[in-house]
Amino acid sequence: MSQWHILGAGAIGSLIAHRMMQSNCACTLLHHHQSSSSGLLLDGKTTARLPIQSLRALAPASIDRLLLTTKAGQLVDALKLALPYLSDDAVIACTANGLGFEQAFSEVLPGRSLHRATSTAAAFRDHDAVVHIVSDGITRIGLPESSASPPTWFSDSLAILDGWRWESNMQGAIGEKFSINCVINPLTAQLECRNGELLQSGAAGPELTALCEESEPLLNALGLWSRQSDLLSAATNVCQSTAQNQSSMLQDRLAGRPTEIDFLNGELLRRAENFEFELPLNQALVSALR
Ligand code: KPL
């Protein structure tokens, strides 16, 4: 079994590295800082110390499997830093939310595939940089441009982890996650509320209802939201099942980090240019959160 290298020691990267290490799945958590260090992680009542190696300490061409766990905005820069350490046929995957970085990826690595992973895992990093695991959720990984069956590198490593599934319709999974993230994340970031606070007496509140009504026709036209159920019911279900969570965009905003708005509603507005939809709520959210 070859080794996974996880680049990005934030909440999701630390969670995945921790689970791999617990499952004896060979893995190294990396950051791009000069020297190696360690991070603290709270898994229920158990505290773990995670070794974090410096990317620069690796030998050239020594990465066979790279999982980029940075946010969308840092993904291409992280990939560029990792380039000298990638073997010729390295598998590359990322967990970032959103769309719109595919072109930049292809410019850095022409002709190579970027596997995508979408996750319902919830974890956050507190003010003291301690990562807290809230839930492992389900993580689907696959190749957007093909419906290939699980490759060996999935079956012999990631498949061992609880909640990891190979997704043969990754394009659909990305569109679904993108649509949900476009309606929940910016509202929670703007209103500074937990996901459950977008609901009123268990049903969708006015902001969530209005944003779903505005966005769904465009998401449908773009082929991104193709589920039978309407977007509002699906978003309401996610808010119910993740009621206590702070969305990733709210976490970024509260921590003063750049948000993923450009890769969510910003990208939606870019893709809307050929259509005639009125999108005032999306426009206002992008201006407020950019
Ligand atoms: O994916 C999420 C995120 O916060 O990015 C949701 C589904 C909204 C859960 O918080």
Side-chain angles (χ1 to χ4, degrees):
M1 186 201 293
S2 48
Q3 166 119 1
W4 276 97
H5 286 85
I6 300 179
L7 181 53
I12 291 295
S14 301
L15 162 59
I16 298 172
H18 179 56
R19 291 292 180 240
M20 283 194 185
M21 288 171 196
Q22 285 181 317
S23 312
N24 292 323
C25 182
C27 130
T28 304
L29 181 60
L30 296 167
H31 60 196
H32 60 266
H33 307 192
Q34 201 71 44
S35 54
S36 299
S37 60
S38 68
L40 268 189
L41 178 141
L42 210 62
D43 180 8
K45 292 199 166 60
T46 317
T47 307
R49 189 165 278 283
L50 289 180
I52 311 176
Q53 201 174 313
S54 169
L55 177 68
R56 298 161 207 231
L58 296 179
S62 58
I63 299 183
D64 292 322
R65 300 175 179 190
L66 176 68
L67 182 61
L68 293 160
T69 50
T70 63
K71 298 284 171 135
Q74 288 86 52
L75 185 129
V76 172
D77 286 343
L79 176 68
K80 286 182 186 161
L81 290 174
L83 276 185
Y85 307 100
L86 289 178
S87 67
D88 284 346
D89 52 359
V91 172
I92 306 166
C94 77
T95 56
N97 279 331
L99 290 168
F101 45 79
E102 304 77 9
Q103 178 70 24
F105 174 89
S106 311
E107 282 163 17
V108 177
L109 272 178
R112 296 289 292 278
S113 301
L114 176 63
H115 291 82
R116 302 282 307 263
T118 64
S119 185
T120 58
F124 65 93
R125 209 162 31 159
D126 68 18
H127 297 303
D128 300 318
V130 179
V131 171
H132 298 247
I133 297 181
V134 181
S135 75
D136 285 83
I138 300 292
T139 303
R140 298 185 282 173
I141 184 166
L143 204 51
E145 60 271 19
S146 104
S147 58
S149 47
T152 316
W153 59 256
F154 175 76
S155 314
D156 74 10
S157 59
L158 299 175
I160 300 165
L161 306 179
D162 270 353
W164 280 69
R165 317 251 192 283
W166 180 257
E167 176 60 69
S168 52
N169 177 15
M170 199 61 213
Q171 197 64 51
I174 294 171
E176 219 173 88
K177 181 85 189 323
F178 176 86
S179 306
I180 295 286
N181 286 141
C182 277
V183 294
I184 297 180
N185 295 24
L187 287 179
T188 53
Q190 190 183 45
L191 302 169
E192 298 200 358
C193 68
R194 290 180 187 269
N195 295 354
E197 291 172 88
L198 294 180
L199 307 173
Q200 273 178 11
S201 319
E207 295 89 356
L208 184 61
T209 306
L211 187 58
C212 286
E213 280 171 3
E214 177 179 295
S215 311
E216 188 172 358
L218 172 62
L219 288 162
N220 265 320
L222 292 167
L224 290 167
W225 183 254
S226 46
R227 283 220 337 224
Q228 295 295 316
S229 63
D230 60 300
L231 179 60
L232 183 60
S233 329
T236 304
N237 288 340
V238 174
C239 288
Q240 285 163 347
S241 61
T242 61
Q244 292 310 314
N245 289 9
Q246 285 186 340
S247 76
S248 51
M249 197 177 289
L250 174 58
Q251 290 182 43
D252 287 340
R253 188 159 199 219
L254 294 177
R257 295 187 292 257
T259 72
E260 292 185 312
I261 194 76
D262 266 335
F263 299 90
L264 294 170
N265 308 69
E267 179 66 15
L268 191 59
L269 292 180
R270 264 187 295 281
R271 294 185 182 208
E273 277 163 15
N274 297 331
F275 295 89
E276 294 201 342
F277 292 106
E278 298 289 323
L279 301 161
L281 299 175
N282 278 281
Q283 274 152 353
L285 286 165
V286 171
S287 310
L289 295 164
R290 185 163 270 160

